[in-house]
Amino acid sequence: MYDFAAQTDLPKPELYSSLARAADALVRGEPDPVANMANLAATIWQFLPDLNWAGFYRVIGDELVLGPFIGKPACIRIPMGAGVCGTAAALGSTQVVPDVHAFPGHIACDADSRSELVVPVLRDGRVIAVIDLDSPSPGRFDAEDAAGMQLIAQVASLTI
Ligand code: SME
């Protein structure tokens, strides 16, 4: 059993430090990428409040393909450059979207989503996946969330 006793009311820097420690402990020494993505998605879901979707899209060829996640069933394939996820993957840069309806080309997988954070996972300078978080609250994510999730993307980088 894993019991990380997530304290979701911590200030964001401390919250993400504790999430990163839990994530690292979970995936360390485990070589299976699907198991690691599944446990990382579940841990993110456990630690971060006010989410309606959390998970992975993997870069396969010239598109993103759905990976392990928590939330409602989602779009399976996203062309590189399309939507928030495809933009993050194509540019290799984190996308903080306070209002998904204002993002040109946003792909609606869950009608409840109002804001979104997508962080690329890089290995050897190449984007191999993105981590996508959706929230039902507008403006849920800020620069502290982006920096915190980049720590989790680093944990993912060597283990997925
Ligand atoms: N909204 C994303 C699609 C993935 S779902 O949110 C799970 C996008 O615009 O790329």
Side-chain angles (χ1 to χ4, degrees), residues 53 57 64 66 72 74-75 78 82-87 100 103 105-110 113 116 118 132-134:
W53 204 91
Y57 279 91
L64 295 172
L66 184 63
K72 288 185 181 165
C75 337
I78 297 176
V84 186
C85 292
T87 300
V100 294
F103 188 95
H106 167 256
I107 299 164
C109 290
D110 180 342
S113 298
E116 185 160 357
V118 182
D132 181 18
L133 305 184
D134 285 26

Side-chain angles (χ1 to χ4, degrees), residues 119-131:
V119 181
V121 178
L122 294 141
R123 186 185 299 154
D124 300 328
R126 276 187 319 113
V127 179
I128 58 165
V130 299
I131 306 175

